[in-house]
Structure formats: C-alpha cells, structure tokens
Amino acid sequence: MVKLHIKRGEESQFLYETTCAVELNELIPQLVRIHNERLKIERLNYEMEELAKHGITLPPNMQGLTEEQISDLRLRDEWEDKCSPSGGYVETKDPLTKRNGRAPNEKMAEVLNRTRQESKAMVSKDNVKADVCLTMDKVKQALDQMKGAVMIVYPMGLPPHDPVRMELEDQEDLSGTQASLQVFEEQTAQLWWAGKDLQRDKKLQDYIGKNEKTKIIAKLQKKGQGAPAREQVISEEERKQMMLHAYSKQEELKKLETCNDDNYLNSAWADPNSLKRQFQGVSDVKWRP
C-alpha cells in the first residue's frame, strides 16, 4: 500500500493508505472529506466543552442580553425546559452571555468531556508521529461517539440553533468565519507532490510509479493558490543538531589554538619512527628483567 503523508503548509495533518492504481478523481475527494471532517471534530470539541461548562446556546436574539432584559422582553421560550440536560442542571453563568448558564451536572459533563477528548485523539495530528493511518470509517466513528454522548446528556435533543446540533446535522454556517478558510471543496481542491499538481484525470502511479511500498509527502491546496512551498531538505531538529555540532567543533579548535601543551609528542601517533619499526617487526618488543 502507498502511504500518503498529508500536510497543510508545513503542518502534518494525517496519514492515508491507498494503492498506486487509484484514480486521482477518487483519491482527492476522499482526502478532502477526511480533512474537512477532522476540522468538524475540532469545532465540535470546542463547542461540546462550552456545552459542558455553560449549557445550550441561546437564540441569536437573546445573546448578549441580561436575565432582566430577557424577562422584560418575554423572550424566554419553552424550548429551554424541553432541552434540559439529563439528571438536572447546575447554574454556571456564561461570561460571554451566549449560553443559558444551565450546565449538565458533574457526571453528565464528564460524559461530554471524556467523549470529545477521545474523539479528538482518534483523528489527532499526533497519529502521524505514531505512524497510524486515518480512514473515513475512523473519522465517522469519532463523530458517532460525539453524537452518542450528546444524546445521552440531552435525550430531548438540542435546540435547532445550537452549534453542536448544527455541526452534527451538517447544517453549520461557516461563512465569514476563520474556520471557513480551512475547509476545502471536494470538486476543486488540488493535491500537490514534488512541485506537481496531480491531475484528476490520471492515476497516482502516473506520477510515483508502481511501487506499492512508496511513502510520499503530499499537500492539499485550494484551487488558484498555486504551488505550496517545497519541503525543507533537512528538518528543524536536524538543523539544530548540525549547528550544535559545528559550535562544539569551533570551541574545540579555539581551545587547541590557545593550548601550548606538548604532551602529545609522547603519543604513539606522534612518533616519526613508528612506521619504520612496524615494517621491521620490532614495534612491540618488550624487555624483561
């Protein structure tokens, strides 16, 4: 199996296994789908953490208002009681006034936090260092775990405007956000390797050959962004080691320049007659009393 090390810029994203004979018009959308779903899991991780801390999100017309203003304007709706967490709630006011301040109890909050952390670890970039490949099934499993945890804590469901529900139902609106800049379109994204834009009407083997034990570093780009920066010949860690070695050699030379010690003349390598004695066979002659 060919192993693809997918990067975004200089940052590793995930590993993916495929074959040399795969069509690029099939491979690229698969890679984009995994990339986008990983971003979804990262967003869900944040939103579920906030859900565990401060409860469900308020409707847009209630966000930023005080409790008194909400009561005076009679904006409180019955959805809030329907969407209460299982086992009751704990009052924890949201400093950003975006959530209703009715957080799940400690046990239910632990369910949310443990699940979101496990799901995030399943698709983490650390899997690249561990040489663990990512598949769409594994990404789907991580999302299903998150969805299951939310259903346990909120059996009556979340309100339609809550970001967690919108993410899980693929109804999220990322327009105008920083997150939207990271998302790729399956039909237009480009895959680059060795400074080449891998064309969708070809196969992977047209570029890398037919060796199934190949491992390459490829990068996803949006259409029109041009070729990504080439990989460094040496890594940052290798560069630091080389600089450290050069510095230690420089310091050693400085010490030799200032050293007047001639004890080295007694060393075997400094003896001008050493080679001659070796040829004559008398280099290891020892005298006994």
Side-chain angles (χ1 to χ4, degrees):
M1 299 292 283
V2 178
K3 187 174 290 186
L4 305 181
H5 179 176
I6 303 300
K7 282 191 169 186
R8 176 81 164 122
E10 294 300 321
E11 194 172 8
S12 297
Q13 299 297 319
F14 59 92
L15 298 178
Y16 185 81
E17 280 189 335
T18 184
T19 63
C20 294
V22 66
E23 299 278 352
L24 286 166
N25 60 1
E26 296 177 4
L27 175 63
I28 295 176
Q30 290 173 1
L31 297 175
V32 170
R33 206 170 298 124
I34 291 176
H35 173 79
N36 290 344
E37 294 299 282
R38 287 184 66 255
L39 295 177
K40 179 190 287 288
I41 290 173
E42 290 181 6
R43 296 193 300 269
L44 273 169
N45 177 67
Y46 169 77
E47 295 295 346
M48 287 177 65
E49 182 180 12
E50 293 299 304
L51 181 65
K53 286 181 179 178
H54 305 295
I56 59 180
T57 304
L58 294 168
N61 63 336
M62 293 173 61
Q63 293 181 15
L65 300 180
T66 64
E67 192 66 30
E68 292 76 13
Q69 290 173 324
I70 292 174
S71 299
D72 292 342
L73 296 173
R74 298 180 180 180
L75 296 176
R76 188 75 66 187
D77 199 356
E78 61 180 5
W79 60 262
E80 196 166 32
D81 294 326
K82 291 181 179 180
C83 300
S84 294
S86 177
Y89 60 85
V90 180
E91 290 285 351
T92 53
K93 187 177 180 180
D94 182 8
L96 301 178
T97 66
K98 291 181 62 177
R99 296 179 176 272
N100 70 345
R102 297 182 178 182
N105 60 36
E106 185 177 353
K107 183 179 180 181
M108 292 294 102
E110 174 62 22
V111 172
L112 291 175
N113 287 324
R114 184 179 66 253
T115 304
R116 69 177 179 80
Q117 290 168 357
E118 290 176 355
S119 296
K120 185 179 179 181
M122 289 175 65
V123 299
S124 171
K125 297 172 184 176
D126 293 337
N127 288 328
V128 175
K129 297 179 182 178
D131 200 32
V132 176
C133 294
L134 198 58
T135 63
M136 195 61 207
D137 288 339
K138 189 176 291 187
V139 174
K140 187 177 184 300
Q141 181 183 348
L143 286 170
D144 288 342
Q145 284 185 181
M146 289 178 146
K147 185 175 182 179
V150 172
M151 291 177 66
I152 291 173
V153 180
Y154 289 90
M156 300 301 292
L158 295 171
H161 57 267
D162 193 276
V164 173
R165 176 173 172 176
M166 295 175 71
E167 290 281 1
L168 291 173
E169 295 180 353
D170 295 328
Q171 300 296 322
E172 70 274 14
D173 182 12
L174 302 179
S175 56
T177 66
Q178 186 68 25
S180 65
L181 302 178
Q182 299 177 313
V183 176
F184 291 111
E185 293 289 338
E186 292 186 18
Q187 302 303 320
T188 59
Q190 297 174 320
L191 186 67
W192 289 76
W193 170 73
K196 301 174 184 177
D197 176 14
L198 307 189
Q199 299 298 315
R200 294 187 178 227
D201 58 349
K202 295 186 178 182
K203 296 182 178 180
L204 186 59
Q205 65 187 18
D206 295 334
Y207 293 95
I208 69 170
K210 297 183 179 182
N211 184 359
E212 292 289 349
K213 295 183 179 180
T214 304
K215 181 177 180 180
I216 66 173
I217 296 177
K219 296 186 178 182
L220 287 170
Q221 287 280 94
K222 289 187 177 181
K223 186 177 181 179
Q225 288 185 333
R230 283 184 175 266
E231 288 293 298
Q232 296 181 359
V233 178
I234 59 174
S235 65
E236 185 65 20
E237 185 62 28
E238 290 173 334
R239 187 182 68 83
K240 290 180 181 179
Q241 292 297 329
M242 291 173 64
M243 291 180 65
L244 180 62
H245 178 71
Y247 176 77
S248 62
K249 291 291 290 184
Q250 185 179 6
E251 292 299 311
E252 185 179 344
L253 289 173
K254 286 182 180 179
K255 290 180 181 179
L256 289 174
E257 289 176 357
T258 58
C259 181
N260 296 321
D261 190 4
D262 59 359
N263 288 336
Y264 69 92
L265 295 175
N266 295 325
S267 302
W269 58 266
D271 185 359
N273 296 317
S274 175
L275 182 62
K276 179 180 178 181
R277 285 198 297 271
Q278 286 182 12
F279 283 129
Q280 292 176 344
V282 295
S283 58
D284 295 325
V285 176
K286 296 181 180 179
W287 299 95
R288 294 182 179 179

